[in-house]
Amino acid sequence: MDVSTLDKEKGNHISGIDRGKVVMYGLSTCVWCNKTKKLLTDLGVDFDFIYVDKLEGEEENQAVDEVRRFNPSTSFPTTVINGEKAIVGFKEREIREALGF
């Protein structure tokens, strides 16, 4: 999903250090999602975030399908790194390690 086509409240790109393609799927009201977003921001990582609960119709279906590929329970946050590895939940140590910190 291309976050550049989304309204800023639905998702956005945060510029930073390139550690590969990092996408965080979350819910706007989720404390753990906001902690994950803050961690990625504090680490200075280049990443996209998508608030799935703010999407509708085909955008929502596309995001849920993408999350389900990596996390069949479709829980949040789901952070996908390079389209290969997914970290489900706020797992600071695991996120730091996966990003080389």
Side-chain angles (χ1 to χ4, degrees):
M1 173 172 282
D2 182 4
V3 296
S4 67
T5 63
L6 298 176
D7 293 337
K8 299 294 183 210
E9 69 193 28
K10 296 178 180 179
N12 204 352
H13 175 79
I14 306 297
S15 295
I17 302 164
D18 182 8
R19 297 289 179 144
K21 176 77 172 154
V22 179
V23 182
M24 188 212 81
Y25 295 90
L27 304 175
S28 62
T29 58
C30 166
V31 172
W32 299 112
C33 300
N34 290 327
K35 284 181 175 263
T36 301
K37 181 180 169 192
K38 183 177 182 332
L39 173 63
L40 293 171
T41 302
D42 290 350
L43 290 173
V45 174
D46 191 84
F47 72 100
D48 294 336
F49 70 89
I50 298 169
Y51 286 137
V52 178
D53 61 321
K54 296 284 188 176
L55 304 176
E56 296 178 347
E58 188 52 40
E59 285 179 340
E60 181 181 19
N61 293 338
Q62 184 181 356
V64 169
D65 287 347
E66 185 66 14
V67 171
R68 194 172 284 132
R69 273 186 50 220
F70 296 96
N71 172 11
S73 67
T74 322
S75 55
F76 299 99
T78 296
T79 305
V80 179
I81 302 169
N82 290 324
E84 298 170 357
K85 177 177 179 60
I87 300 169
V88 179
F90 177 70
K91 297 178 180 162
E92 183 173 354
R93 183 184 53 75
E94 195 174 334
I95 291 168
R96 285 177 176 274
E97 287 175 4
L99 297 173
F101 288 99

